[in-house]
């Protein structure tokens, strides 16, 4: 019987020989994880058996890489994967853990019921807590703060997080709130912003969140960005990064000059309406480029010039900007393509 396919998509994987990080197409089945150099490849580069495997998330073996999880086989071989955003990592981790559990129990993989599970009232669910913190009315308020000649947008202090946890009866005192906030940081829900908070994370203390006004943090899926100062102390204002993140994930993009196709991480923001794309192996600090979406036209297409030469077929769509620049992209599935088209279309009509 053929293995049941559970989930597929792009992830960044650490090589086992050269130790370099590269984008791969990953397919999770009920008994293993296969990874391919390209989505169109018929033969995988490797296969990780799940029987007797252990998954570790978050994996903090790499100080400069976030959203990493580790899959260790029964033969003590470690495989490291990195997701491009928090929701993606949580989805992969949940499905892989469930597949491992089903293998151990000798039962078939089945998706969990949507009914709420019963849990003890004093049990803290970090995912649910994060949703409460992100609430526009009653959550932690994002601010624009200036520290050491830099302006940090969409962030807050460690003390703000601690105060909020106590005020909402999620913690009884400041030490308890610090431990809870540290859990949110370790799980990737919160991220450090600035030298003080980053030094706290790298210091290896029991509580890595600092309860002080100079320690800044931000939500993992927020529109955080930092404005620096030039030599003449003029503020460098990055207008196009001000918008909230609407959608993010990996897509295949056709290059304008060579017409080759490469996997890029895309982050869609509104007000102003921009979509930025990045090398997913190098993080989100420096985009490779951006597309101003105001007045753009977004449509699904069935054919793209030169796509066949690179074995790119299906789930294609096109963005035509107001200055008549054409961008061709491919989503992993038809459902994902529809989601991107709908989100980009909305931003192009409502954003500046």
């Amino acid at each position: 019987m053929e293995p049941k396919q559970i989930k597929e998509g792009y992830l960044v994987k650490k090589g086992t020989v050269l130790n370099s990080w590269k984008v791969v197409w990953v397919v999770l089945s009920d008994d293993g994880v296969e990874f391919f150099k390209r989505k169109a490849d018929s033969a995988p580069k490797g296969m990780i058996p799940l029987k007797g495997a252990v998954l570790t998330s978050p994996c903090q073996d790499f100080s400069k890489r976030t959203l990493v999880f580790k899959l260790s086989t029964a033969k003590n071989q470690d495989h490291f994967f990195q997701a491009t955003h928090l929701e993606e990592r949580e989805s992969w981790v949940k499905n892989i853990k469930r597949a491992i559990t089903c293998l151990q129990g000798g039962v078939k993989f089945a998706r969990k019921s949507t009914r709420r599970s019963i849990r003890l009232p004093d049990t803290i669910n970090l995912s649910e807590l994060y949703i409460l913190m992100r609430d526009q009315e009653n959550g932690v308020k994002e601010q624009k703060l200036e520290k050491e000649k830099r302006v940090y947008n969409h962030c807050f202090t460690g003390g703000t997080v601690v105060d909020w946890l106590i005020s909402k009866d999620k913690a009884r005192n400041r030490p308890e709130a610090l431990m809870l906030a540290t859990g949110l940081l370790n799980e990737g829900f919160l991220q450090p912003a600035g030298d003080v908070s980053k030094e706290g994370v790298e210091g290896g203390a029991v509580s890595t969140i600092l309860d002080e006004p100079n320690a800044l943090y931000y939500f993992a899926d927020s529109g955080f960005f930092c404005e620096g100062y030039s030599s003449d102390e003029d503020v460098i204002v990055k207008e196009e990064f001000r918008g909230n993140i609407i959608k993010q994930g990996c897509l295949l993009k056709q290059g304008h000059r060579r017409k080759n196709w490469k996997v890029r991480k895309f982050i869609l923001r509104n007000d102003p309406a921009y979509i930025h794309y990045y090398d997913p192996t190098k993080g989100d600090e420096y985009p490779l480029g951006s597309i101003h979406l105001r007045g753009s036209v977004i449509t699904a297409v069935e054919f793209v010039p030169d796509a066949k030469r690179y074995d790119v077929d299906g789930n294609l769509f096109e963005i035509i900007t107001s200055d008549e620049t054409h961008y061709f992209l491919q989503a992993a599935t038809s459902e994902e393509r529809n989601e991107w088209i709908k989100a980009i279309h909305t931003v192009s009509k409502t954003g500046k």
Side-chain angles (χ1 to χ4, degrees):
M1 183 181 292
E2 288 292 322
K4 178 182 177 182
Q5 185 172 308
I6 299 167
K7 183 176 175 62
E8 60 181 351
Y10 292 108
L11 288 172
V12 179
K13 185 181 184 299
K14 180 178 179 290
T16 54
V17 179
L18 299 178
N19 292 328
S20 58
W21 293 77
K22 293 185 178 181
V23 177
V24 292
W25 179 256
V26 182
V27 177
L28 168 65
S29 61
D30 52 8
D31 64 353
V33 174
E34 292 181 318
F35 51 96
F36 301 75
K37 184 177 180 180
R38 296 182 304 168
K39 181 187 175 185
D41 290 349
S42 58
K45 288 183 65 179
M47 191 274 191
I48 307 168
L50 291 179
K51 188 174 182 179
V54 176
L55 189 142
T56 304
S57 177
C59 173
Q60 298 176 321
D61 293 18
F62 310 96
S63 60
K64 294 184 178 180
R65 287 187 178 271
T66 59
L67 305 176
V68 174
F69 62 91
K70 178 172 68 174
L71 191 56
S72 304
T73 68
K75 295 183 178 180
N76 295 320
Q77 295 175 321
D78 293 335
H79 298 270
F80 298 92
F81 293 92
Q82 181 182 26
T84 56
H85 57 282
L86 185 65
E87 183 179 325
E88 180 184 57
R89 185 194 69 178
E90 295 301 295
S91 177
W92 277 102
V93 167
K94 180 184 69 175
N95 282 287
I96 294 174
K97 282 186 174 180
R98 186 152 176 76
I100 292 173
T101 301
C102 289
L103 271 178
Q104 290 173 342
V107 298
K108 291 184 179 180
F109 183 98
R111 300 197 180 278
K112 285 187 176 181
S113 168
T114 55
R115 291 179 298 177
R116 291 186 179 180
S117 58
I118 299 173
R119 59 183 177 86
L120 295 175
D122 58 347
T123 299
I124 298 296
N125 184 307
L126 293 180
S127 297
E128 293 178 5
L129 182 60
Y130 180 70
I131 293 172
L132 293 175
M133 294 177 72
R134 296 287 280 121
D135 185 81
Q136 293 292 323
E137 296 295 327
N138 301 310
V140 175
K141 303 301 181 185
E142 296 176 293
Q143 298 176 292
K144 181 176 181 178
L145 301 172
E146 184 173 349
K147 303 287 181 183
E148 299 176 350
K149 293 187 176 181
R150 292 179 182 175
V151 179
Y152 297 87
N153 296 266
H154 299 286
C155 68
F156 40 81
T157 68
T160 300
V161 176
V162 171
D163 291 338
W164 184 88
L165 289 169
I166 295 174
S167 68
K168 300 300 179 182
D169 295 324
K170 303 301 179 183
R172 292 169 293 185
N173 49 50
R174 299 194 83 80
E176 188 175 288
L178 278 171
M179 294 304 294
L180 190 54
T182 295
L184 289 162
L185 185 70
N186 291 341
E187 288 291 329
F189 293 109
L190 303 181
Q191 296 290 328
D195 296 336
V196 174
S197 55
K198 289 179 180 178
E199 287 172 5
V201 171
E202 295 169 0
V206 175
S207 172
T208 52
I209 282 250
L210 302 178
D211 185 7
E212 53 184 80
N214 290 325
L216 306 182
Y217 304 88
Y218 63 94
F219 294 123
D221 57 351
S222 73
F224 169 80
F225 72 97
C226 174
E227 301 170 19
Y229 285 80
S230 63
S231 56
D232 59 0
E233 295 192 348
D234 289 331
V235 179
I236 302 172
V237 180
K238 299 180 180 178
E239 279 291 336
E240 60 193 63
F241 291 97
R242 289 189 181 277
N244 293 321
I245 294 177
I246 303 302
K247 186 173 176 59
Q248 56 184 320
C250 282
L251 296 167
L252 206 58
K253 176 184 177 294
Q254 185 187 55
H256 275 92
R257 286 180 290 181
R258 297 183 181 179
K259 303 300 180 184
N260 56 342
W261 292 76
K262 291 186 177 181
V263 178
R264 298 301 183 209
K265 176 182 177 180
F266 284 80
I267 298 181
L268 173 65
R269 293 180 171 88
N270 67 352
D271 196 24
Y274 274 89
I275 187 168
H276 297 85
Y277 52 94
Y278 305 75
D279 182 341
T281 66
K282 297 180 179 178
D284 302 344
E285 191 170 357
Y286 301 107
L288 297 174
S290 64
I291 306 171
H292 190 195
L293 297 172
R294 180 64 175 170
S296 296
V297 176
I298 306 93
T299 57
V301 295
E302 300 303 322
F303 172 77
V304 175
D306 297 320
K308 290 288 185 181
R309 193 174 71 180
Y310 293 94
D311 293 325
V312 176
D313 189 27
N315 307 319
L316 298 161
F317 64 100
E318 179 182 16
I319 300 174
I320 307 175
T321 64
S322 58
D323 62 357
E324 295 294 324
T325 303
H326 294 244
Y327 295 89
F328 293 104
L329 307 166
Q330 184 195 44
T333 65
S334 59
E335 181 182 3
E336 185 182 47
R337 176 176 71 171
N338 292 337
E339 290 175 357
W340 274 105
I341 290 175
K342 182 178 179 181
I344 295 172
H345 178 77
T346 301
V347 167
S348 70
K349 298 300 181 185
T350 58
K352 295 178 181 178

